Amino acid sequence: MNAVKIAYKPVGLALGAGGGLLAGALFKQAWKALGHEDDATDEHRRWAEILAAAALQGALFAVVKAAVERAGATGVRRVTGTWPG
């Protein structure tokens, strides 16, 4: 494992945590925009709503995670000249 990969590990972890927080906030906003004030796992919701909410949350998380990881790796390459992956 080269030095750039080792140095990038804590940066990648921090970016991942920040991306998770961002994805959670985006999901909450999207859920509210769909007209839902309560929690997505409310027992009074139908299965279709719960599964749709889970799909939306998963998609947002995946997109945010990919964007954050790619931006972090691109930034490391700009600074060091080496891709961290």
Side-chain angles (χ1 to χ4, degrees):
M1 193 179 255
N2 67 29
V4 173
K5 283 185 180 181
I6 293 170
Y8 182 71
K9 286 287 184 187
V11 173
L13 289 172
L15 289 173
L21 292 172
L22 177 61
L26 287 173
F27 173 72
K28 285 182 182 181
Q29 291 300 316
W31 190 247
K32 284 182 182 177
L34 292 172
H36 301 292
E37 301 257 341
D38 54 350
D39 187 48
T41 58
D42 180 22
E43 69 177 321
H44 301 292
R45 297 275 174 212
R46 297 182 324 250
W47 273 100
E49 283 182 290
I50 298 303
L51 296 178
L56 175 63
Q57 187 173 24
L60 283 172
F61 182 78
V63 168
V64 170
K65 182 178 184 233
V68 167
E69 287 180 358
R70 182 67 176 200
T74 302
V76 167
R77 184 180 62 187
R78 284 187 191 144
V79 171
T80 66
T82 304
W83 192 261

